[in-house]
Structure formats: structure tokens, C-alpha cells
Short mmCIF file of all heavy atoms in Angstrom, two decimals:
data_model
loop_
_atom_site.label_atom_id
_atom_site.label_comp_id
_atom_site.label_asym_id
_atom_site.label_seq_id
_atom_site.Cartn_x
_atom_site.Cartn_y
_atom_site.Cartn_z
N ASN A 1 3.98 -9.02 -7.27
CA ASN A 1 4.99 -9.80 -6.55
C ASN A 1 6.05 -8.91 -5.90
O ASN A 1 6.55 -9.23 -4.82
CB ASN A 1 5.65 -10.80 -7.48
CG ASN A 1 4.73 -11.93 -7.90
OD1 ASN A 1 4.82 -12.44 -9.02
ND2 ASN A 1 3.83 -12.34 -7.02
N SER A 2 6.35 -7.79 -6.52
CA SER A 2 7.39 -6.91 -6.02
C SER A 2 7.03 -6.26 -4.69
O SER A 2 7.92 -5.81 -3.97
CB SER A 2 7.72 -5.84 -7.05
OG SER A 2 6.57 -5.07 -7.37
N VAL A 3 5.73 -6.19 -4.37
CA VAL A 3 5.31 -5.54 -3.13
C VAL A 3 4.52 -6.46 -2.22
O VAL A 3 4.16 -6.07 -1.10
CB VAL A 3 4.47 -4.27 -3.42
CG1 VAL A 3 5.24 -3.33 -4.32
CG2 VAL A 3 3.13 -4.64 -4.04
N LYS A 4 4.26 -7.67 -2.66
CA LYS A 4 3.47 -8.62 -1.88
C LYS A 4 4.11 -8.86 -0.52
O LYS A 4 5.31 -9.11 -0.41
CB LYS A 4 3.32 -9.93 -2.64
CG LYS A 4 2.22 -10.85 -2.11
CD LYS A 4 2.00 -12.03 -3.06
CE LYS A 4 1.51 -11.57 -4.42
NZ LYS A 4 1.23 -12.73 -5.33
N GLY A 5 3.30 -8.78 0.53
CA GLY A 5 3.80 -8.95 1.88
C GLY A 5 4.30 -7.67 2.51
O GLY A 5 4.57 -7.64 3.72
N ARG A 6 4.45 -6.62 1.72
CA ARG A 6 4.94 -5.34 2.23
C ARG A 6 3.88 -4.24 2.13
O ARG A 6 3.83 -3.36 2.99
CB ARG A 6 6.19 -4.90 1.48
CG ARG A 6 7.35 -5.88 1.60
CD ARG A 6 8.63 -5.29 1.02
NE ARG A 6 8.52 -5.01 -0.42
CZ ARG A 6 8.62 -3.80 -0.95
NH1 ARG A 6 8.85 -2.74 -0.18
NH2 ARG A 6 8.51 -3.64 -2.27
N PHE A 7 3.07 -4.27 1.08
CA PHE A 7 2.03 -3.26 0.87
C PHE A 7 0.66 -3.88 1.11
O PHE A 7 0.41 -5.02 0.73
CB PHE A 7 2.07 -2.73 -0.57
CG PHE A 7 3.28 -1.92 -0.93
CD1 PHE A 7 4.35 -1.79 -0.06
CD2 PHE A 7 3.32 -1.27 -2.15
CE1 PHE A 7 5.46 -1.04 -0.41
CE2 PHE A 7 4.42 -0.51 -2.50
CZ PHE A 7 5.49 -0.39 -1.65
N THR A 8 -0.23 -3.11 1.72
CA THR A 8 -1.60 -3.55 1.96
C THR A 8 -2.57 -2.49 1.46
O THR A 8 -2.44 -1.31 1.80
CB THR A 8 -1.85 -3.80 3.46
OG1 THR A 8 -0.93 -4.78 3.93
CG2 THR A 8 -3.28 -4.31 3.68
N ASN A 9 -3.54 -2.91 0.66
CA ASN A 9 -4.53 -2.02 0.06
C ASN A 9 -5.85 -2.17 0.81
O ASN A 9 -6.37 -3.28 0.93
CB ASN A 9 -4.71 -2.40 -1.41
CG ASN A 9 -5.40 -1.33 -2.23
OD1 ASN A 9 -5.92 -0.36 -1.71
ND2 ASN A 9 -5.40 -1.52 -3.55
N THR A 10 -6.38 -1.07 1.32
CA THR A 10 -7.67 -1.09 2.02
C THR A 10 -8.54 0.06 1.51
O THR A 10 -8.04 0.99 0.88
CB THR A 10 -7.51 -0.96 3.54
OG1 THR A 10 -6.92 0.31 3.86
CG2 THR A 10 -6.63 -2.07 4.10
N ARG A 11 -9.83 -0.02 1.79
CA ARG A 11 -10.72 1.07 1.40
C ARG A 11 -11.79 1.29 2.45
O ARG A 11 -12.18 0.37 3.17
CB ARG A 11 -11.36 0.81 0.03
CG ARG A 11 -12.34 -0.34 -0.02
CD ARG A 11 -12.75 -0.64 -1.48
NE ARG A 11 -13.50 0.45 -2.07
CZ ARG A 11 -13.61 0.65 -3.39
NH1 ARG A 11 -13.00 -0.16 -4.24
NH2 ARG A 11 -14.34 1.68 -3.85
N ASP A 12 -12.26 2.52 2.52
CA ASP A 12 -13.33 2.91 3.41
C ASP A 12 -14.38 3.59 2.54
O ASP A 12 -14.26 4.77 2.22
CB ASP A 12 -12.82 3.85 4.49
CG ASP A 12 -13.87 4.17 5.54
OD1 ASP A 12 -15.07 4.00 5.27
OD2 ASP A 12 -13.48 4.60 6.65
N ASN A 13 -15.39 2.83 2.15
CA ASN A 13 -16.40 3.38 1.24
C ASN A 13 -17.21 4.51 1.87
O ASN A 13 -17.69 5.40 1.16
CB ASN A 13 -17.33 2.26 0.75
CG ASN A 13 -16.68 1.39 -0.30
OD1 ASN A 13 -15.61 1.72 -0.82
ND2 ASN A 13 -17.31 0.27 -0.62
N ALA A 14 -17.37 4.49 3.18
CA ALA A 14 -18.09 5.56 3.86
C ALA A 14 -17.34 6.89 3.74
O ALA A 14 -17.96 7.95 3.74
CB ALA A 14 -18.30 5.22 5.33
N LYS A 15 -16.01 6.83 3.62
CA LYS A 15 -15.19 8.02 3.49
C LYS A 15 -14.75 8.27 2.05
O LYS A 15 -14.02 9.23 1.79
CB LYS A 15 -13.96 7.92 4.39
CG LYS A 15 -14.26 7.88 5.87
CD LYS A 15 -12.97 7.81 6.68
CE LYS A 15 -13.26 7.81 8.17
NZ LYS A 15 -12.01 7.71 8.97
N SER A 16 -15.16 7.41 1.13
CA SER A 16 -14.77 7.50 -0.28
C SER A 16 -13.25 7.60 -0.42
O SER A 16 -12.73 8.41 -1.19
CB SER A 16 -15.45 8.70 -0.95
OG SER A 16 -16.85 8.54 -0.96
N THR A 17 -12.55 6.76 0.32
CA THR A 17 -11.10 6.81 0.36
C THR A 17 -10.50 5.41 0.29
O THR A 17 -11.01 4.48 0.92
CB THR A 17 -10.61 7.51 1.64
OG1 THR A 17 -11.15 8.83 1.70
CG2 THR A 17 -9.09 7.60 1.68
N VAL A 18 -9.42 5.28 -0.46
CA VAL A 18 -8.66 4.05 -0.52
C VAL A 18 -7.26 4.34 0.00
O VAL A 18 -6.74 5.46 -0.17
CB VAL A 18 -8.62 3.47 -1.96
CG1 VAL A 18 -7.94 4.44 -2.92
CG2 VAL A 18 -7.95 2.11 -1.98
N TYR A 19 -6.65 3.37 0.66
CA TYR A 19 -5.35 3.54 1.28
C TYR A 19 -4.36 2.50 0.76
O TYR A 19 -4.73 1.38 0.44
CB TYR A 19 -5.44 3.40 2.80
CG TYR A 19 -6.44 4.31 3.45
CD1 TYR A 19 -7.73 3.87 3.71
CD2 TYR A 19 -6.09 5.61 3.82
CE1 TYR A 19 -8.66 4.71 4.31
CE2 TYR A 19 -7.01 6.44 4.43
CZ TYR A 19 -8.29 5.99 4.67
OH TYR A 19 -9.20 6.82 5.27
N LEU A 20 -3.10 2.89 0.73
CA LEU A 20 -2.03 1.96 0.44
C LEU A 20 -1.04 2.04 1.61
O LEU A 20 -0.35 3.05 1.77
CB LEU A 20 -1.32 2.28 -0.88
CG LEU A 20 -0.25 1.27 -1.31
CD1 LEU A 20 -0.89 -0.08 -1.63
CD2 LEU A 20 0.52 1.78 -2.52
N HIS A 21 -1.02 1.00 2.42
CA HIS A 21 -0.11 0.92 3.55
C HIS A 21 1.19 0.29 3.07
O HIS A 21 1.20 -0.86 2.64
CB HIS A 21 -0.72 0.09 4.68
CG HIS A 21 -2.11 0.51 5.06
ND1 HIS A 21 -2.36 1.36 6.12
CD2 HIS A 21 -3.32 0.20 4.52
CE1 HIS A 21 -3.67 1.56 6.22
NE2 HIS A 21 -4.27 0.88 5.26
N MET A 22 2.28 1.04 3.15
CA MET A 22 3.57 0.62 2.62
C MET A 22 4.54 0.39 3.77
O MET A 22 4.83 1.31 4.52
CB MET A 22 4.11 1.68 1.66
CG MET A 22 3.10 2.09 0.59
SD MET A 22 3.56 3.64 -0.25
CE MET A 22 5.01 3.11 -1.15
N ASN A 23 5.03 -0.84 3.88
CA ASN A 23 5.97 -1.20 4.94
C ASN A 23 7.25 -1.76 4.35
O ASN A 23 7.28 -2.22 3.21
CB ASN A 23 5.35 -2.23 5.88
CG ASN A 23 4.10 -1.75 6.56
OD1 ASN A 23 4.09 -0.69 7.18
ND2 ASN A 23 3.02 -2.53 6.46
N ASN A 24 8.32 -1.73 5.16
CA ASN A 24 9.62 -2.25 4.73
C ASN A 24 10.00 -1.73 3.35
O ASN A 24 10.34 -2.48 2.44
CB ASN A 24 9.60 -3.78 4.74
CG ASN A 24 10.97 -4.39 4.57
OD1 ASN A 24 11.98 -3.76 4.90
ND2 ASN A 24 11.02 -5.61 4.05
N LEU A 25 9.96 -0.43 3.21
CA LEU A 25 10.20 0.20 1.91
C LEU A 25 11.64 -0.01 1.43
O LEU A 25 12.58 0.00 2.23
CB LEU A 25 9.89 1.68 1.98
CG LEU A 25 8.39 1.99 1.97
CD1 LEU A 25 8.12 3.39 2.51
CD2 LEU A 25 7.83 1.85 0.55
N LYS A 26 11.77 -0.21 0.13
CA LYS A 26 13.05 -0.40 -0.52
C LYS A 26 13.33 0.76 -1.47
O LYS A 26 12.41 1.46 -1.87
CB LYS A 26 13.05 -1.71 -1.31
CG LYS A 26 12.70 -2.94 -0.50
CD LYS A 26 12.62 -4.17 -1.39
CE LYS A 26 12.27 -5.41 -0.61
NZ LYS A 26 12.20 -6.61 -1.48
N SER A 27 14.58 0.92 -1.84
CA SER A 27 14.93 1.99 -2.76
C SER A 27 14.20 1.82 -4.10
O SER A 27 13.87 2.82 -4.75
CB SER A 27 16.44 2.05 -2.99
OG SER A 27 16.93 0.83 -3.52
N GLU A 28 13.94 0.58 -4.49
CA GLU A 28 13.24 0.30 -5.73
C GLU A 28 11.78 0.76 -5.72
O GLU A 28 11.14 0.79 -6.77
CB GLU A 28 13.26 -1.20 -6.04
CG GLU A 28 14.64 -1.83 -6.01
CD GLU A 28 14.97 -2.45 -4.67
OE1 GLU A 28 15.43 -1.71 -3.77
OE2 GLU A 28 14.76 -3.67 -4.51
N ASP A 29 11.27 1.11 -4.54
CA ASP A 29 9.89 1.60 -4.44
C ASP A 29 9.77 3.08 -4.78
O ASP A 29 8.66 3.61 -4.85
CB ASP A 29 9.35 1.36 -3.03
CG ASP A 29 9.23 -0.12 -2.69
OD1 ASP A 29 8.82 -0.91 -3.56
OD2 ASP A 29 9.56 -0.47 -1.54
N THR A 30 10.89 3.75 -4.97
CA THR A 30 10.88 5.17 -5.30
C THR A 30 10.16 5.39 -6.63
O THR A 30 10.54 4.82 -7.65
CB THR A 30 12.30 5.73 -5.38
OG1 THR A 30 12.91 5.66 -4.08
CG2 THR A 30 12.30 7.17 -5.85
N ALA A 31 9.11 6.20 -6.62
CA ALA A 31 8.31 6.45 -7.81
C ALA A 31 7.22 7.46 -7.49
O ALA A 31 6.99 7.79 -6.32
CB ALA A 31 7.67 5.15 -8.32
#
């Protein structure tokens, strides 16, 4: 819930890579 609507998780199995797209970042996201 803390990141819903701001973060998007995608993957590209051909590249063996997963991505986390982070938008509208807040100070609470620091980690």
C-alpha cells in the first residue's frame, strides 16, 4: 500500500532481468 500507484514491477525473461520503476518518490522511500 505504501508504494501502490507509484512503483511498477516488470520483468524481461529474455534478459533475465526484473525492474522496479519508482515514481513520485518520497523521503520515506529512502532505504
Side-chain angles (χ1 to χ4, degrees):
N1 290 147
S2 59
V3 305
K4 195 171 297 183
R6 300 189 297 118
F7 292 7
T8 302
N9 196 350
T10 63
R11 68 188 294 158
D12 186 340
N13 284 349
K15 296 181 178 179
S16 296
T17 302
V18 62
Y19 305 94
L20 185 66
H21 309 264
M22 309 165 68
N23 299 308
N24 191 25
L25 284 160
K26 304 176 180 180
S27 60
E28 308 95 275
D29 295 319
T30 295

